[in-house]
């Protein structure tokens, strides 16, 4: 017995791409969705580079600074499932357009902010509208591209933009901060949103409703509170410790509420998250892969940026440019794996191998020192990371929406973003502790000096990268056991293109 990959999709999962518009129009829809996704993804990192200048301009403290990041993460992470379900109930075009307009308006307010409070409020509003926008974009992609010949290519391009967005955000943030002002890291979103909004209004069909939408209010309240508690608690860990009662209480309460949410969803007539979306092994394995990917990626962008700037003296622009080989790897893998490897070896093999390639790239980067050369010591690991991340991301995005009925496409898409967001929050809290412990251990065992302090920083960063490699290896093992190796079925199509 040598055949391990079942290429057959269930007979009920047929496609009818013709009813969703012409071939050319569908690809223009992808452009619109890709611009919106790039905006949301890069916004997670573009603000980080500008924070020191914003802090100097508005005069807020170091202790307050984290809320510019945390405010966005709290709103985005806790409201994603609601945003995805609203798209299913009220129309994906409606939520997509609303998300674009709201995100652009919040960006203008943030860019013009004259005080810390207004800046944080604008970031919270950005997170709220991103929770509408991100699931709508991915679900529109899922229900538009159901043709087996087109779907892998579309998801590959979309995944490339998702994976590259964080790195592009670092570069764009550095350029705008250095050449213009920190305020332009907010204003630039208006350009992205304007392009996507124009395309959405021209290309996407207006939704039609035949019945009154029904919202699972108890489930919405419980899961939003649960996700808020988890993300808040993990953010609080970064500035305190894992034993802090507020942080620990928030995380534990959030976990308990998630259990209550599952109990509720089994009993309500119109659940916010139908458990059929998660219990399918392909989709469940894909959500897990995205969760692990979120954990590993945050260690790359956060701590490798620290290393490049603090340890070897790169400027923000140079640090951003340093990530371009990884971006190239992500784009190359995302656009070639769906058509060349996935049909031949199956999703389990692609995701498992992708995690192992990423782990090898991360392992190379654990050898960094104060004297590391970029081309010889940094770039090879970056390229391997990009290739592995691109392979995992494009496959997991397809797998997480495989065979989903169009009425569940929004909440399935939201769960992808939620998995990545929560994984990143856990990773940031965990690896911040790892970095601090590694630096403290090094300082305590070496004679105090400027060189010792600098080397302690490198030790802290490489320790987090070693943990990141381990996280990717765990992801490979879990995927190998949990994900079936069968062809990824398309989602059920839906008419979304204007005529």
């Amino acid at each position: 017995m040598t055949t391990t990959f079942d290429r057959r999709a269930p007979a009920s999962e047929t496609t009818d791409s013709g009813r969703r518009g012409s071939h050319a129009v569908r690809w223009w829809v992808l452009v619109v969705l890709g611009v919106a996704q790039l905006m949301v993804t890069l916004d997670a990192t573009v603000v980080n580079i500008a924070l020191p200048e914003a802090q100097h301009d508005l005069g807020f403290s170091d202790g307050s600074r984290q809320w510019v990041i945390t405010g966005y993460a709290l709103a985005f992470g806790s409201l994603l499932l609601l945003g995805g379900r609203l798209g299913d109930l009220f129309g994906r075009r409606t939520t997509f357009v609303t998300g674009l307009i709201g995100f652009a308006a919040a960006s203008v307010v943030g860019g013009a902010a004259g005080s810390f409070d207004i800046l944080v409020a604008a970031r919270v509003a950005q997170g709220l509208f991103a929770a509408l926008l991100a699931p709508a974009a991915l679900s529109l992609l899922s229900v538009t591209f159901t043709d087996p010949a087109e779907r892998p290519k579309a998801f590959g391009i979309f995944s490339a933009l998702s994976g590259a967005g964080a790195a592009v955000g670092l570069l764009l943030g550095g350029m705008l901060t250095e050449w213009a002002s920190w305020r332009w890291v907010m204003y630039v979103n208006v350009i992205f949103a304007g392009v996507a909004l124009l395309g959405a209004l021209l290309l996407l069909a207006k939704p039609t409703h035949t019945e009154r939408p029904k919202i699972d209010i108890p489930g919405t309240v419980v899961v939003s509170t649960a996700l808020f508690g988890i993300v808040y608690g993990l953010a609080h860990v970064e500035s305190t410790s894992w034993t802090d009662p507020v942080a620990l209480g928030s995380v534990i309460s959030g976990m308990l509420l998630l259990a209550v949410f599952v109990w509720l969803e089994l009993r309500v007539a119109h659940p916010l998250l139908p458990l059929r979306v998660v219990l399918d092994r392909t989709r469940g394995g894909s959500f897990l892969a995205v969760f692990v990917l979120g954990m590993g990626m945050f260690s790359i962008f956060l701590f490798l940026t620290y290393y490049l700037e603090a340890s070897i003296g790169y400027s923000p622009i140079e640090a951003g440019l340093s990530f371009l080989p990884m971006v190239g790897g992500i784009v190359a893998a995302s656009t070639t794996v769906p058509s060349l490897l996935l049909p031949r070896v199956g999703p389990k093999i692609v995701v498992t191998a992708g995690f192992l390639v990423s782990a090898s790239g991360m392992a190379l980067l654990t050898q960094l020192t104060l004297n590391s050369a970029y081309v010889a010591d940094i770039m090879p690991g970056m390229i391997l990371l990009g290739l592995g991340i691109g392979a995992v991301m494009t496959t997991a995005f397809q797998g997480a929406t495989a065979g989903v009925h169009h009425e569940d496409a929004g909440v399935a898409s939201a769960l992808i973003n939620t998995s990545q967001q929560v994984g990143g929050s856990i990773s940031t809290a965990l690896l911040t502790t790892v970095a601090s412990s590694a630096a403290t251990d090094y300082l305590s065992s070496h004679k105090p000096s400027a060189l010792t302090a600098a080397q302690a920083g490198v030790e802290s960063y490489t320790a987090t990268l070693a943990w990141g490699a381990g996280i990717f290896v765990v992801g490979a093992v879990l995927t190998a056991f949990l994900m079936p190796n069968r062809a990824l079925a398309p989602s059920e199509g839906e008419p979304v293109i204007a005529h």
Side-chain angles (χ1 to χ4, degrees), residues 1 8 186 194 198 232 286 294 327 339 353 358 394 436 447 455 476:
M1 296 292 290
R8 295 172 299 169
M186 304 290 282
L198 179 62
Y232 176 79
S286 297
V327 173
S339 57
S358 296
T394 188
S436 178
K447 186 179 296 184
Q455 185 59 41

Side-chain angles (χ1 to χ4, degrees), residues 165-197:
V168 172
L170 293 172
L171 176 58
L172 185 61
M175 294 170 62
L176 292 173
T177 302
E178 189 166 322
W179 296 342
S181 161
W182 70 267
R183 297 181 183 277
W184 274 96
V185 303
M186 304 290 282
Y187 290 144
V188 73
N189 291 321
V190 178
I191 300 173
F192 287 103
V195 171
L197 179 62

Side-chain angles (χ1 to χ4, degrees), residues 355-406:
F355 273 133
L356 292 177
V357 170
S358 296
S360 66
M362 198 86 84
L364 286 179
L365 294 173
T366 62
Q367 307 303 310
L368 295 176
T369 68
L370 288 170
N371 301 312
S372 293
Y374 178 77
V375 173
D377 303 316
I378 301 174
M379 190 167 69
M382 289 274 206
I383 293 172
L384 287 173
L385 277 168
L387 292 171
I389 289 170
V392 173
M393 183 172 289
T394 188
T395 307
F397 276 23
Q398 284 190 73
T401 57
V404 171
H405 192 275
H406 72 81

Side-chain angles (χ1 to χ4, degrees), residues 196-276:
L197 179 62
L198 179 62
L201 294 176
L202 291 175
L203 299 176
L204 298 179
K206 294 181 179 180
T208 57
H209 299 292
T210 58
E211 60 182 44
R212 183 179 179 182
K214 298 178 178 64
I215 298 178
D216 173 18
I217 295 177
T220 298
V221 172
V222 170
V223 76
S224 297
T225 305
L227 292 172
F228 182 93
I230 292 170
V231 175
Y232 176 79
L234 292 169
H236 204 63
V237 166
E238 295 177 53
S239 56
T240 55
S241 71
W242 285 97
T243 58
D244 178 78
V246 174
L248 196 59
S250 295
V251 173
I252 292 174
S253 298
M255 296 297 290
L256 291 174
L257 284 173
L258 279 183
V260 173
F261 173 69
V262 173
W263 181 84
L264 283 173
E265 298 307 275
L266 288 170
R267 286 158 176 79
V268 297
H270 303 281
L272 177 71
L273 175 60
L275 295 186
R276 61 179 177 269

Side-chain angles (χ1 to χ4, degrees), residues 170 443 497:
L170 293 172
L443 290 171
I497 295 175

